[in-house]
Amino acid sequence: MKIFWYFLFLFILLPSILSAQDGLLPYHQKSSLFPASAGAMQFGLYGYDNPAVLTYARTANLMVSWTDSYNSPEYRRLGLFYAGRDFAMGLHSENMGEFSSSELYFASAFGSKGFSLGYRVGYVFGDREDMNRRNSYAVGALIRPIRYASLGLTWNTTFRPHGGEGVVDLGVRPFGDELVTLFADYALVSGRQWRDGRWSAGAVVEPLPGLRVAGRYFDTDAFSAAVQISLGVVGYTEQVNSESDGDRVYNTHSIRVGARDRSFLADLMPGTKYVKYDMKKPIKYQKFRWFDDSRTLLGLLQQIEAAKRDPEIKGLALNLSGMNVGKEFLWEIREKLKEFRSSGKKVVVYIDRGGISAYHLASVADKIVMDPLGTITLEGFLLGRMYVKGTLEKLGIGFEEWRYLKYKSANETFSRRSMSDADREQLQAIVDDYYRLAKDDICEGRGIAPSRFDSLVNNTMIFLSRAALEFGLVDTLGRWDAVDSVITTLEGKKARMVNPGSLAITRDLPDHHWGSKPRIAVIYALGVCDMDVGIAARKLVKDVEKVTKDGSVKAVVLRVDSPGGDALASDIIAEAIKKCGQKKPVIVSQGNVAASGGYWLSMYGDTIIAAPTTITGSIGVIGGWFYNIDLKESLGVTTDFVKRGEHADLGFGLLGMLPDRNLTEAEHAQIKGLILDLYKEFVEKVAEGRGRTAEGIDSIAQGRVWSGYDGLEHGLVDLLGGLATAVDVAKHRAGFGPDDEVEIVEYPVPGLFDLSKLLGGLVGSGTAFNRDIEKKIELLKFMLRYNGVPMPMLPVSLIDLEHWPFTGN
């Protein structure tokens, strides 16, 4: 949208500006419509005074202003102003009795909260000849290096002699917030002496949230006073304006609707509020900027934290119907809900159907409401894989596993008919930790004895609603609408359900904090390790380098959710992280999977944080080779070639994907040396990153996968926690306290919209089943592309394909 307005200005409006006639509405004449300098209060007069202030316009706002005069009934002003994110437009009309004029303007801004630039173009028309075609242009700058001071610079011009006016406005906040703002401004028309300039000064006080009182004195002895009252999404301003001679006293009235503002009414009538969450909405790492109603993990965790701190909010109500979220995400959400409850607030959960992972989340609640026709399944946990050695043989495809490390089992799917002893050992340990975590949390949350929990899992498993109530798994039966009565019983009075948008953190306008807040960068390394898909190392390394150089970024959180892949892609990012760590703290947060090449990404972090169920470690390298046995012949395909070079035909074969032959003995020896050399380098790099000896790392490596629990015990991770924990640690390592305000910036920058989802909907292929098939096909293509390449890669069986961001989404 912003690009469109720049285009409009450069190619349509600018030519008309350059041919404009004389005439310009002076800066201080606009004061009748706004009680303070442009940079002193919220985002000014919606870009009409200083367009650079629009960087503080967060969401859509519409304001209507009009004046009435006691002494001059014929004097009237009317303004209609709209402001959205970095853009504004408006219409200002003035009736002076003997003539009238109107100005239509467009404005936009770009930059940061610390420094921004903006422009405005206006077209004036009136009932006098000298008013018609009087166009104006303005450029503005807003400089806020610290939260205590604001400097605005504006130049208004018609590109005619004596047609320009420069304005400087200064704001000071003694306490660094909106409580008290002192301001002054100075305006000078081009061609005049400094002493001929006009100035004003005043103050804005906000004693209660959303209640603002402003007073402004002008060098002509004129004066204005205003009171602004915000009711949340609606606000009203009453302003009295007095000229120096007292001959003209007039009022300005303004009504605003749009974005939620601070409001003291919430403090006067707090009531009992519960934030409701529909957990059916997808939860992912990043969302597209347009047409995406999903939630992000970090955003949800931040909202729960905000609800804990918000005095209006007494509890949360979660509807788990239709929820489809991976176990690691659920654990992070559960931990945040546990923190929420520790503050003395309540959590109520509704569940209709759910397995052990969904019930694990629900068990954190004070009260669980179950649908009368619902079911709960405590099925336990399983890890397994499908073996296709026999299938490949029937197809005439051979596969050779290049495995020289005991636990590196990534290719067993293709090389075996059943699980190896080493793989069974490591997978059983992972499953045992899944069960251990769920059992401990559920028993604690529901007051169930551990032996009884084992009995429920092993002897009953499936619970209809009456049985679930009888066994103490839930507290009452009812549909989602029954949650209201449960909350009323909990609180002793009826509560009002509100959306997350009602939280205090969302009620704070950007003007609460002048200037750019110190930043914590969250960088997502998601999907397979590859140069162009998955983590897309070729692009991601530029993001890492950018935050390394950015002085406003005080610490970095690297979120890794990757099973590994290409060692080159992994190392490019790891080395960039290592350099970043030399300048600022780098905290690694491991998601569902951060093993093999995913651990390579993590190894240089100052602190590595994992969930108890995170699959980490798998420090090792493996390779494999698909080749033709008789598939080509059964299809009636033949191949032939000429070559120069003994090994030139090694990858040649069917469709360029299935080689004609296996490796020779000499080639096998070379591959073994490559794999073991790469493994040695991997171990040495981990030892350097973790401050350990190579021998110590080798003793827990050999391709062995570990849970977060065991990773902590063996020194591969430093702390158990989630993404919110990592952000808190990053703040602390950067020197900030828990209550200090920081801005979270995320990389890679999300796209505008999901084109694949749109196209999928058009052709009818956007179902969850089809997306799962697509991920499996993409994974197979990835493995075929790296056929014969030694890789730090995790077994496919340990990848939760349903919730795994293969392409980094």
Side-chain angles (χ1 to χ4, degrees), residues 46-245:
Y46 291 54
Y48 193 42
D49 37 17
N50 182 352
V53 180
L54 290 173
T55 51
Y56 282 76
R58 184 178 58 191
T59 51
N61 268 290
L62 180 67
M63 184 173 73
V64 180
S65 299
W66 70 97
T67 65
D68 55 42
S69 174
Y70 297 133
N71 300 12
S72 303
E74 72 281 0
Y75 178 79
R76 292 286 187 273
R77 277 187 175 174
L78 173 66
L80 179 64
F81 305 99
Y82 166 84
R85 185 177 292 275
D86 300 333
F87 168 75
M89 62 184 297
L91 178 66
H92 172 241
S93 297
E94 185 176 26
N95 188 333
M96 301 296 290
E98 66 273 15
F99 68 89
S100 63
S101 66
S102 298
E103 180 178 9
L104 175 67
Y105 79 91
F106 301 90
S108 186
F110 58 94
S112 68
K113 298 294 191 296
F115 176 77
S116 59
L117 299 172
Y119 73 86
R120 185 193 75 243
V121 291
Y123 177 70
V124 180
F125 49 94
D127 54 12
R128 273 182 16 188
E129 182 61 29
D130 62 344
M131 286 290 179
N132 284 319
R133 297 176 57 81
R134 188 187 73 187
N135 299 329
S136 66
Y137 173 67
V139 291
L142 185 67
I143 306 165
R144 288 176 172 172
I146 56 176
R147 64 189 303 174
Y148 300 97
S150 172
L151 175 65
L153 304 171
T154 311
W155 176 254
N156 301 277
T157 185
T158 60
F159 287 98
R160 296 293 181 180
H162 306 295
E165 180 187 44
V167 181
V168 178
D169 67 270
L170 177 67
V172 176
R173 285 182 164 178
F175 307 107
D177 58 21
E178 69 277 6
L179 180 62
V180 176
T181 304
L182 308 176
F183 65 87
D185 51 48
Y186 175 84
L188 180 67
V189 174
S190 60
R192 296 184 180 179
Q193 298 296 317
W194 285 100
R195 62 178 177 271
D196 297 327
R198 297 280 309 278
W199 61 267
S200 72
V204 180
V205 179
E206 190 170 339
L208 296 174
L211 175 62
R212 303 175 182 101
V213 180
R216 189 177 188 180
Y217 174 78
F218 297 87
D219 61 334
T220 58
D221 291 333
F223 183 79
S224 70
V227 175
Q228 185 178 89
I229 299 175
S230 169
L231 304 179
V233 296
V234 178
Y236 178 76
T237 304
E238 182 72 16
Q239 178 177 338
V240 178
N241 306 277
S242 173
E243 296 293 341
S244 57
D245 53 10

Side-chain angles (χ1 to χ4, degrees), residues 545-578:
E545 291 169 348
K546 179 179 179 180
V547 301
T548 301
K549 298 173 183 176
D550 189 343
S552 68
V553 174
K554 306 305 180 183
V556 176
V557 172
L558 177 69
R559 175 68 171 204
V560 178
D561 206 330
S562 171
D566 182 9
L568 173 62
S570 300
D571 198 57
I572 285 175
I573 300 303
E575 288 297 320
I577 289 294
K578 183 179 179 181

Side-chain angles (χ1 to χ4, degrees), residues 346-463:
K346 306 296 184 183
V347 175
V348 177
V349 166
Y350 165 79
I351 186 170
D352 51 10
R353 296 188 178 98
I356 192 168
S357 293
Y359 184 72
H360 182 198
L361 172 66
S363 66
V364 76
D366 293 275
K367 297 293 180 182
I368 301 177
V369 180
M370 184 176 178
D371 193 276
L373 293 180
T375 56
I376 291 174
T377 307
L378 300 181
E379 72 279 19
F381 297 94
L382 177 145
L383 284 175
R385 68 169 86 192
M386 180 174 64
Y387 298 87
V388 298
K389 178 180 174 64
T391 305
L392 294 176
E393 289 174 351
K394 288 180 180 295
L395 291 173
I397 298 173
F399 180 80
E400 184 173 78
E401 182 184 32
W402 301 336
R403 178 175 177 177
Y404 308 104
L405 303 170
K406 179 179 179 181
Y407 296 100
K408 200 63 179 171
S409 60
N411 285 330
E412 284 192 7
T413 293
F414 310 106
S415 65
R416 297 179 60 90
R417 300 180 189 276
S418 62
M419 196 176 294
S420 68
D421 291 341
D423 200 30
R424 187 177 302 278
E425 176 189 347
Q426 63 182 348
L427 295 189
Q428 186 63 59
I430 295 287
V431 167
D432 289 346
D433 282 342
Y434 287 170
Y435 187 85
R436 164 190 169 189
L437 177 67
K439 177 180 176 179
D440 290 349
D441 285 347
I442 291 172
C443 289
E444 178 188 19
R446 299 300 301 173
I448 299 173
S451 59
R452 188 159 182 261
F453 177 83
D454 292 335
S455 176
L456 293 175
V457 172
N458 296 323
N459 300 325
T460 309
M461 187 184 73
I462 300 177
F463 302 86

Side-chain angles (χ1 to χ4, degrees), residues 765-779:
S765 63
T767 65
F769 174 78
N770 285 329
R771 286 193 296 271
D772 187 52
I773 294 296
E774 288 169 4
K775 287 182 180 180
K776 291 177 179 176
I777 292 173
E778 288 299 321
L779 186 59

Side-chain angles (χ1 to χ4, degrees), residues 570-589:
S570 300
D571 198 57
I572 285 175
I573 300 303
E575 288 297 320
I577 289 294
K578 183 179 179 181
K579 292 178 182 177
C580 184
Q582 294 169 356
K583 293 189 174 182
K584 57 194 71 177
V586 177
I587 311 303
V588 173
S589 169

Side-chain angles (χ1 to χ4, degrees), residues 683 687 691-698:
V683 167
R692 304 269 296 275
T693 65
E695 293 76 14
I697 295 299
D698 179 64

